[in-house]
Amino acid sequence: MMDTLGKLRLLSEDSQYDLACACGTNEKDRRRRGQDGKWLYPVALAAGGYGIMFKTLMSNACSSDCRYCPLRRDGNVRRCALSPDETAALFMEHLRRQWLLGMFLSSGILDTADRTMAQLVAAAEILRRKHRYRGYIHLKVIPGASDAAIDAALRVASAVSLNIEVPGRKHAAKLTAHKDFDADIVRPIKYIAAQTAKGMRYERIRTTTQFIVGASDETDCEIIAYLDGIYNRLKLRRAYFSAYQRGLGDGTIPGDRFALESEAQQLQDASDRLTREHRLYQADFLLRKYSFAPRELVFDAAGNFDLHEDPKLAWANRHPEQFPVNLATAGRDMLLRIPGLGPTYVERILHQRRGGHIASFAAIGLNGKNAEKAGRYSVFS
C-alpha cells in the first residue's frame, strides 16, 4: 500500500500538465524537480525575484474522458488520492523545511465537480483554520462546478483558475463527450469573472486559465480571438498555454488524429506544437505588455503564426512604413514596436533621453543580438 509521501510523489508528478501558475518561457520560470521527486514551480514576484510553488493533485483518478489528458478515466496510470488532512499536513511539513510562495492545488474529477471542489476547499480550510496559514493558495476550479462551490473556493483562495483548454465548443466536442463546453467551462468562467470583477467582494482574487495547444485542429487565430475575450471582456489576469504532449502514458486513443502518423512525423508535430506554444506566449505578451491589438497580429493563410518568425518581428516586417523609429522622439507605444526592445529597455530610453541624447544601445545596457535587431529598425538622432 502506498504511503503518504509515495502518493505525493505520484500526484505531484501528474500535476505537471497544468501550467496555470508558471509561465515556463525561460530558465528561471521553468518547473524543476525537487530532491524528493515533487515538481517545484518558480513564480515571478511583483517585487522582483522568484518564489517556489508547492504543486500537487489531491487525486489523479478522473471520471472525465479528455483525449489530451493522460489521467482520463481510461488512461493507463497508477491511481491514488490524498485526503484534505494529508494534503494540508504535507504542505505544512514542506513549509517548515523550506520557504514556499504557496500552494497550487488541483485534482482529477472525483465522480462530480462539486464533490471534487469540496475536497479541494476542505484542504484549504484546514490550512487556513487549523494551521493559521495566511499565505498563497491557488485552487483549481473543476469544470461544471456550481456557483456555490465556486463561492466556497473564493472564500479561502488567493487565486483560482478554470482551464478553457480549447477555443470553442467545436473543438471541445472533438476531445470530450463528458464535458459540455458552454455549461461546464464558459458558464463557470463567466461566474468567476463576475465575482472577481473590480468593486466586487472577491476582486483581490487572481484569476487565470489555460489552453492546450494542438490537441484539436484549432488555429492560433482562434485562440487569440478567445484570448481577447478573456482579457478584455472577462478581465481574467492571465492565460497560459501548454503544448499537447502525446505519449504521456496514454497509448493510442481510438479516433486519435495522430494515431496513423509515423514516429518521425509525430516528433515533428510535437516540436511544432512546442514552437506554437512559444509563439502564443509571445503574442500574449504583445497583447498584455506591448499595446498590440489582436487584429494587428500576423497570421498565415491557415490562421497560424509563423513558426520561424516571432509575432513582433512579423508585424514589423509587414509594416516597413513605420520604420526606422526615431529613438529621440518616438512615444512609448512606438518604441515597444521595435524588434529587440522590451518594456525594460523602453523605460530606460525614456528615462535617459530626458537627461540628454542617447548615442547607442550600450548606454541603456542593451547588447548582442537584440541590439543588432533593434538597430535595423531604429535610428539615433
Side-chain angles (χ1 to χ4, degrees), residues 226-354:
Y226 267 76
L227 199 61
D228 183 36
I230 285 167
Y231 288 145
N232 295 319
R233 292 195 297 276
L234 298 180
K235 307 297 184 183
L236 299 192
R237 289 280 300 277
R238 187 72 193 275
Y240 294 83
F241 310 95
S242 179
Y244 171 58
Q245 303 174 64
R246 187 172 187 270
L248 295 172
D250 54 347
T252 299
I253 308 166
D256 188 340
R257 70 187 183 89
F258 300 109
L260 299 179
E261 292 179 349
S262 68
E263 182 177 355
Q265 183 60 50
Q266 289 172 16
L267 290 172
Q268 179 60 48
D269 286 347
S271 176
D272 287 351
R273 289 193 294 276
L274 287 169
T275 304
R276 280 188 66 198
E277 175 191 298
H278 186 62
R279 293 286 176 253
L280 285 162
Y281 272 120
Q282 290 174 320
D284 175 78
F285 272 78
L286 294 183
L287 298 177
R288 292 188 303 109
K289 302 291 187 181
Y290 291 75
S291 301
F292 275 72
R295 66 179 181 276
E296 295 181 280
L297 298 176
V298 178
F299 302 97
D300 63 20
N304 293 311
F305 292 120
D306 189 328
L307 296 180
H308 304 289
E309 186 175 57
D310 74 70
K312 185 178 177 182
L313 187 61
W315 181 88
N317 290 336
R318 181 70 65 89
H319 294 280
E321 75 281 0
Q322 299 287 342
F323 300 95
V325 174
N326 189 332
L327 296 170
T329 60
R332 183 179 187 277
D333 285 353
M334 196 59 221
L335 290 172
L336 283 169
R337 301 288 172 124
I338 300 173
L341 292 185
T344 297
Y345 290 108
V346 166
E347 292 304 321
R348 290 179 186 178
I349 289 171
L350 293 172
H351 175 75
Q352 290 199 23
R353 78 185 189 186
R354 286 194 291 268

Side-chain angles (χ1 to χ4, degrees), residues 187-222:
R187 179 201 58 78
I189 284 182
K190 286 183 175 179
Y191 184 78
I192 291 169
Q195 299 306 304
T196 57
K198 187 175 182 180
M200 298 299 290
R201 177 182 178 185
Y202 299 112
E203 67 173 314
R204 65 177 179 81
I205 303 296
R206 179 180 172 87
T207 54
T208 63
T209 191
Q210 175 181 280
F211 290 90
I212 300 293
V213 180
S216 181
D217 56 355
E218 82 289 335
T219 66
D220 295 336
C221 186
E222 289 177 300

